[in-house]
């Protein structure tokens, strides 16, 4: 099944303007910070997920970040850090902090 796709060929060379155009088309509200990041939230089943895009021209990349609101037993902090370390070793692109 093919999904309809918007035509974004008339956008400028600023990748964040393209992100803003897509968020606008999806009906999502967003905010552009003085640092040039685009902040937005997505509603999930249990909570809203705060996300943001930033552009790193020196690396020619568009970075997507998402905050995770994880709650767990403080006694399990060390094993969770060990698990994230193992996951980060196997992630091809990106990382968990």
């Amino acid at each position: 099944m093919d999904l309809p796709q918007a035509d974004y060929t008339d956008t400028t060379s600023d990748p964040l303007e393209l992100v803003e155009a897509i968020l606008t088309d999806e009906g999502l509200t967003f905010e552009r910070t003085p640092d040039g990041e685009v902040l937005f939230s997505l509603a999930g089943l249990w909570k809203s997920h705060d996300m943001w895009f930033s552009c790193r021209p020196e690396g020619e990349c568009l970075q997507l970040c998402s905050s995770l609101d994880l709650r767990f037993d403080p006694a399990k902090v060390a094993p969770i850090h060990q698990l994230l370390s193992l996951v980060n070793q196997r992630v091809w692109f990106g990382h968990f902090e």
Side-chain angles (χ1 to χ4, degrees):
M1 176 169 89
D2 290 331
L3 297 174
Q5 303 222 351
D7 181 17
Y8 296 107
T9 56
D10 293 336
T11 58
T12 66
S13 62
D14 181 3
L16 292 177
E17 288 184 12
L18 176 60
V19 168
E20 289 175 336
I22 293 170
L23 293 174
T24 299
D25 285 353
E26 292 298 319
L28 297 170
T29 58
F30 60 89
E31 176 185 341
R32 185 93 176 237
T33 68
D35 294 335
E37 295 178 336
V38 176
L39 312 174
F40 64 103
S41 291
L42 293 174
L45 293 176
W46 298 309
K47 66 179 272 333
S48 290
H49 303 278
D50 298 326
M51 304 177 84
W52 60 99
F53 279 96
S54 62
C55 184
R56 302 288 182 240
E58 65 278 359
E60 295 183 352
C61 71
L62 184 63
Q63 184 176 24
L64 170 64
C65 303
S66 176
S67 64
L68 299 173
D69 184 18
L70 301 176
R71 298 167 198 254
F72 46 84
D73 182 354
K76 298 188 182 204
V77 170
I80 289 172
H81 283 173
Q82 290 173 341
L83 176 62
L84 288 178
S85 176
L86 292 172
V87 169
N88 282 337
Q89 292 174 18
R90 290 172 173 78
V91 172
W92 181 68
F93 191 71
H95 65 276
F96 291 94
E97 291 183 11

